[in-house]
Amino acid sequence: MCHFAVQATVLVIRLDNRLFRRHPLCKMTGEIQREIEGLRERIWDHNYLYHVLDRPEISDAEYDSLFRQLQKLESLHPQFVTTDSPTQRVGASPAEGFRTIVHAIPMLSLENAFTLDEIKAFDRRICKLLHVDRVVYIAEPKLDGLSVELVYENGSFVRGSTRGDGTNGEDVTANLRTIRSIPLRLRRTQLAIPSVLEVRGEVYVETDDLHQLNEKREAAGLPVFSNTRNLAAGSLRQLDPQVTTTRPLKMFCYDIGRVEGIRIGCQEQLLRTLSLLGFRVNPLHRLCGGIEEGISFYNDFQVRRKTLLYEADGVVIKVDEFALRKVLGRVSHSPRWAIAGKFQAEQAITKVREIIVQVGRTGILTPVAILEPVRLYGVEISRATLHNEDEVKRKDVRAGDTVIVQRAGDVIPEVVKSLTKYRKGDEFPFKMPSVCPSCGSRIIRRQSMVAHRCVNISCPARIKQSIVHFAGKAGFDIAGLGIKVVNQLVEKEIIKRPSQLFRLDRETLISLERMGPRSADNLLAAIRNSRSMTLERLLFAIGIPEIGQQTARILAKRFGTLSRLGSASKEELLGIPEIGPSTTTAITEYFANQENRAVIEELLTCRVQIKGEGTRLGPLAEKRFVFTGALSRMTRDEATERVRHLGARVSTSVSSQTDYVVIGVNPGSKGAKARNLGVKILSEEEFSSLTEQ
Ligand code: IVH
């Protein structure tokens, strides 16, 4: 009996084994799993190229097609879905609150230095403690965002939290997963995958993205975010990850907590390793042979930061070598081996002369404080936005008040607060007018909306602002067409729509006040030269509601031509990850409107030319280029731009898919590879003549 039982068990096992090996379904399953893995690898690679290196190699459409293939396979075979799959960025449903996470190693803060003397004193302290004359430092930009920790176990992102009080943070894993520059799985390198890796860094928002989001929120009557830090913090602390996914969050990594399975000896190696593993690392860091170099980085960066896309409030200077950091240790909440060299706050005190109300191109009324001029970082400020009526009330800003104003980066100056102790009693509170200050029309404020709006679409203030927007730097960029000229053109009823700018003549311009023949000629030349436009600029300039620069860029890339966008269906638009339902409605309504179509028609009859249209489908459309070696007539970026402009693509490696390899001076092995694969090789001259327009 017992014997039989044993036999029977063996038999079953054997049968199972046979079944397992021979059943055709099992073989298929293995193949499908491999296919899924293969697709994931490719998508991860392209994610990394796009979001981390900012160097995409495939078009959005190709990326979407890969993504959809993976989605389809995963929905047919849900047993293979893993939490680190690219399809699983926004999976979680809204949470009730955030769990507390205890950081395995506390997240310290930094001591601040506000002067060069304080930075020098920091160095002297360190040299003394280490008994040396000089120390190697690494200097990095200090971004103003929210610091977070990401935990990876065996290569997969498992948990993420805010810094909190340094010991206890909040579990914001679901929200962090939606940030495209955070890898859900570490990239494979020659290094072993660490069994545990805690990566730390700053989640932040770029200044332009703040403006664009605020523009949309104002248009929708929602409260605006007062700075990029608040936007980053508010977005990460959202209970619904669906909301976070629509926010333009990015992350730079600069530190680690616990790490097991790899050895890292200094900050430079740490940054290199993080970058190899797939994290975004700020490329502006500098290794400094002593504190003098650290100080020169601080000075250079103070100027350079004004040209950056993000706000930085200082630089962090850190001892590079980890062994030395250990010797130095910490004092209460900050390490002795690092210091934050902060830049002077861009704040100043001045007086509010009056509070006026401005009407924007969408009809929204914005209270603006007219100030006694004051210098903020070299720029004279004479007005500051107060955003909306609620904001004026909350800050209780009155005409005649003494106030603190600030300007962060490129942000429009704003009133931080009123210094009420200076009041004399003759200040008067602000009241929103009941009719439009420009045209006298009715003002509406829809329930639960923050913004007041003028109902008249022909309101001269709205027309003026839409022309200023059209001619602005991010639009047609017409130099010499400032608000003073636009005011006259609209008030004298010379033009009513931006497209009529192209019909202006010399005589009319000279008839304007303070417009001599030379200025008129310059303005006419600027208008003429602005006629050649990229689609993305045109989409921004014509002022489709909700379309900021970023959305315009996405739409231009996606549709390529104005007519394709104009005839896009709602479904097509909703299929674009960055485009939500309200933007979709804004676009379709815009193109459905006869008047808007007439404006576009008028632009085209005035010979406004959209660059790339028509040539997109030319002989180079969709062709793939690879460059190797240095070009003598142009930079690699210029060559890339030229190729992209013609609808072709640029890759970094040669494959059988490559159409042309352009060989410059000192080419690498790519030339030989191209020859082996029979890919067409071009000299720089041949490339130039092929791409000349
Ligand atoms: S290092 C112990 N590096 O500044 C050192 N911090 O005031 C840990 N920050 O909480 C921080 N950029 O949020 C470091 N390149 C950078 C930084 C940086 C921004 C923030 C971080 C930290 C705060 C300290």
Side-chain angles (χ1 to χ4, degrees), residues 589-642:
E589 278 180 1
Y590 182 89
F591 285 103
N593 180 308
Q594 277 312 317
E595 263 176 55
N596 293 336
R597 284 196 171 265
V599 167
I600 292 175
E601 205 52 46
E602 186 169 10
L603 282 176
L604 299 179
T605 53
C606 292
R607 299 214 316 276
V608 166
Q609 248 177 8
I610 304 172
K611 284 188 209 164
E613 287 212 340
T615 49
R616 243 188 121 71
L617 299 174
L620 293 185
E622 308 291 311
K623 293 275 188 255
R624 289 169 195 251
F625 281 77
V626 171
F627 293 99
T628 177
L631 300 175
S632 58
R633 301 185 189 173
M634 61 188 101
T635 65
R636 185 73 71 84
D637 283 347
E638 282 160 357
T640 304
E641 176 60 27
R642 200 187 252 215

Side-chain angles (χ1 to χ4, degrees), residues 107-112 140-147 163 201-202 254-255 313 316 318 335 337-338 340:
M107 291 180 76
L108 301 180
S109 55
L110 293 170
E111 200 190 313
N112 290 328
E140 300 167 3
K142 183 173 185 302
L143 265 70
D144 199 14
L146 200 74
S147 67
R163 173 173 178 271
E202 207 78 358
Y254 49 69
D255 200 13
D313 59 347
V316 185
K318 306 171 177 179
W337 45 261

